[in-house]
Amino acid sequence: MMWTHPEPVELVELGRDTLTRAQVRKVVRHLMAGCAACGDIAAQLLPGRGRRAGEEAAEEVDYTPAFEAARRRVAEWQAAFAEEQAEARDLLAELAAHPYERRWMLVTQSARFRTWSVCDHLIEEAREAGFQDPKRAVEYARLGVDLAERLDPAVYGAERLHDLAGRAWATLGNAQRIRTDFRDATASLLRAERLLRRGTGDPLEKAQLLVFRASLLGDQRRFPEVFPLIDRVLSLARRLNDRHLEGKAMIAKGLFHGHAGQTEAAIAALRRGLALADPVREHRLVVAGHHNLIFFLLESERVEEALALFAEARPLYERFEDRMGQLRVRWLEGKIALATGRCEEAEAILLEVRERLTERDLGFDVALVSLDLVQLYTQQGRTSDVRRLAEEMLPLFEARDVQRESLVALSVLQRAAVRERVTVGLVREVGDFLRRYRTEPGLRFRDPV
């Protein structure tokens, strides 16, 4: 997140006491953070130093030279920051060529890497990797944490470094949450909260941390605690008049409603969020919002609405660059084909997706796409194919160390297939259980057969 320096005129108006309270707070926080450039500019621009209250100025002050000096200083700072940013991209590419141990050594021991921009890039890399490779996301976030703690407060400002370190710890906590390492995720997010309290008070940093905390609680199915956090983000967004942040919070709220089984509330919140969110600022967020809305519409058997939305979202999906994102789009295409009765096309797509998920060793997702295939075969009365697929599923998941209770659910499906008693209702019940069990491991499967 790039620093925001006050405009020179804001420093002048600060001295004249004509700024709003919010503007005063912003400028003073910036100066107190230790920005040397703005401190020097303020010394030139602030009027009335040493003048007693009520004393008239002897003559009108000409601020033109000070304005020109201020603009030069800001321009110099911007050029230096741009150079640091460009160097950071090259340094990140250099890091990518090494194993993690070597990356850590370079980041923590080499002065070349000890810049704000390198740390910022590491954090962004961790956030992007979280969607494709959670292990890599954790590694990059740890590098960001270790680097943030080694940056010089005299260069960047102590409060701003607390913000940066807080963002790094929050990103690490979110990556740990994606890997279902909930204990470490909780500890990391608490560390992030403590650091941000010592920072500048940036509401955007606070809002992002609240979203991460809500995501962790949502994965733990602690929904009564989730929604108050999201409502706090919504309140922040409205106070800041930030439509995109409000949209982001509404998309998150919709997803949590869906996880809680409140499908209609999920659809309403997602629609509202997508109307507000800016795809230029966060393309992946908007795609995820569309993706989940289409999924919940299909779950509600509102197929025509899902089809229309999928066609509308096509240009967004086509910008997906990562393979996992493209694979999930392909899976959604298969589900839509299944829902619209294009059975041959649905089967081809779902078999392709199942194979690619198996290659990535994503056991739960393989289970879910296999259930889509079982539903297709059940609807077509292809009992031998249902039995064959059910018999293939169990050893596949046992080899991938899928949790015991999930294997119980799959065993029930297998026994029903052997008896030729599989129904679409049973397939959906097993699918719903597997989705819930990912975030509610104490759940037990009831055998309806």
Side-chain angles (χ1 to χ4, degrees):
M1 184 177 297
M2 188 171 177
W3 313 325
T4 303
H5 290 264
E7 293 293 331
V9 70
E10 289 183 286
L11 296 172
V12 173
E13 297 301 325
L14 176 67
R16 292 175 172 170
D17 198 23
T18 55
L19 294 180
T20 66
R21 291 179 64 184
Q23 289 171 320
V24 169
R25 188 162 54 248
K26 183 190 79 168
V27 175
V28 170
R29 277 178 176 167
H30 184 83
L31 294 173
M32 290 180 67
C35 178
C38 287
D40 290 347
I41 294 167
Q44 299 176 57
L45 295 184
L46 292 180
R49 288 186 175 273
R51 188 179 300 156
R52 291 186 298 273
E55 184 178 344
E56 294 295 329
E59 58 181 333
E60 194 68 28
V61 179
D62 181 8
Y63 295 110
T64 303
F67 278 139
E68 291 175 354
R71 291 191 184 96
R72 284 196 300 272
R73 292 292 296 276
V74 171
E76 289 168 4
W77 180 89
Q78 289 174 331
F81 189 81
E83 183 179 351
E84 185 182 290
Q85 286 278 68
E87 289 175 354
R89 286 188 285 271
D90 294 338
L91 290 169
L92 207 69
E94 181 181 335
L95 286 176
H98 297 291
Y100 176 75
E101 292 75 13
R102 176 64 176 166
R103 290 177 197 164
W104 186 86
M105 187 176 298
L106 287 169
V107 163
T108 58
Q109 299 183 20
S110 173
R112 292 187 303 131
F113 292 86
R114 207 166 297 146
T115 69
W116 177 292
S117 296
V118 169
C119 188
D120 198 40
H121 277 65
L122 287 170
I123 294 169
E124 289 305 312
E125 188 71 19
R127 289 188 177 179
E128 282 299 309
F131 298 99
Q132 307 173 57
D133 187 344
K135 179 176 181 291
R136 181 164 165 263
V138 168
E139 290 179 350
Y140 271 91
R142 286 193 186 281
L143 291 175
V145 163
D146 289 337
L147 179 55
E149 294 175 347
R150 287 168 169 79
L151 296 179
D152 187 353
V155 175
Y156 298 109
E159 285 189 336
R160 293 187 178 280
L161 285 183
H162 289 320
D163 281 354
L164 185 66
R167 195 185 329 147
W169 277 102
T171 302
L172 175 59
N174 193 54
Q176 291 164 331
R177 188 267 308 175
I178 293 171
R179 296 192 72 191
T180 66
D181 188 355
F182 295 156
R183 180 178 298 177
D184 284 349
T186 299
S188 295
L189 294 177
L190 285 172
R191 180 71 178 271
E193 185 175 5
R194 287 194 294 270
L195 285 162
L196 291 181
R197 284 176 183 165
R198 298 167 61 192
T200 64
D202 186 336
L204 294 178
E205 299 284 8
K206 181 179 181 180
Q208 183 61 75
L209 177 61
L210 288 171
V211 171
F212 285 159
R213 284 179 55 197
S215 297
L216 175 60
L217 293 170
D219 280 0
Q220 296 170 312
R221 301 192 69 80
R222 293 161 59 182
F223 296 114
E225 299 171 66
V226 168
F227 294 110
L229 291 182
I230 293 298
D231 288 340
R232 285 172 62 188
V233 179
L234 287 168
S235 178
L236 277 171
R238 288 161 185 160
R239 195 161 70 238
L240 295 168
N241 197 26
D242 189 331
R243 286 172 53 86
H244 175 75
L245 179 58
E246 184 179 353
K248 182 174 185 175
M250 288 301 299
I251 288 171
K253 192 170 190 176
L255 183 59
F256 296 134
H257 275 307
H259 287 170
Q262 302 161 356
T263 307
E264 291 305 314
I267 290 171
L270 286 166
R271 286 195 188 281
R272 172 63 178 161
L274 288 169
L276 293 166
D278 181 357
V280 175
R281 281 177 64 176
E282 282 189 82
H283 173 255
R284 189 184 293 275
L285 168 74
V286 174
V287 172
H290 278 92
H291 193 84
N292 284 296
L293 178 53
I294 293 166
F295 175 80
F296 291 130
L297 287 170
L298 288 173
E299 289 289 295
S300 302
E301 299 184 352
R302 293 158 65 171
V303 178
E304 291 301 320
E305 291 180 65
L307 281 172
L309 185 61
F310 189 63
E312 178 187 321
R314 269 291 186 188
L316 291 170
Y317 283 125
E318 288 168 0
R319 288 180 52 196
F320 251 136
E321 296 179 357
D322 65 89
R323 293 179 181 178
M324 195 61 209
Q326 293 170 351
L327 183 54
R328 294 199 180 280
V329 174
R330 188 68 171 152
W331 186 356
L332 189 57
E333 289 175 336
K335 292 179 75 70
I336 288 174
L338 175 59
T340 53
R342 292 176 283 129
C343 297
E344 187 175 339
E345 180 183 352
E347 182 178 8
I349 293 173
L350 293 172
L351 285 171
E352 172 198 339
V353 171
R354 182 173 182 260
E355 180 180 356
R356 291 167 64 185
L357 289 171
T358 302
E359 291 170 356
R360 289 175 173 264
D361 204 27
L362 296 171
F364 266 104
D365 287 333
V366 174
L368 294 175
V369 76
S370 297
L371 288 171
D372 288 336
L373 282 164
V374 169
Q375 179 179 334
L376 171 61
Y377 296 154
T378 300
Q379 289 174 345
Q380 293 181 313
R382 294 163 57 179
T383 54
S384 60
D385 286 325
V386 170
R387 186 166 56 250
R388 173 184 56 78
L389 186 56
E391 289 171 353
E392 290 175 359
M393 287 168 65
L394 201 57
L396 173 67
F397 302 135
E398 285 173 339
R400 281 160 175 76
D401 193 30
V402 174
Q403 291 95 325
R404 177 186 175 280
E405 200 64 25
S406 295
L407 294 174
V408 170
L410 294 170
S411 296
V412 169
L413 181 67
Q414 185 187 47
R415 292 200 306 273
V418 169
R419 300 173 192 170
E420 297 188 0
R421 294 176 61 184
V422 173
T423 64
V424 172
L426 174 61
V427 175
R428 287 178 175 169
E429 187 171 347
V430 172
D432 289 342
F433 174 82
L434 292 178
R435 291 187 192 94
R436 291 180 60 197
Y437 191 75
R438 298 181 77 166
T439 56
E440 198 173 347
L443 209 58
R444 294 291 178 265
F445 186 75
R446 179 184 60 82
D447 185 348
V449 179

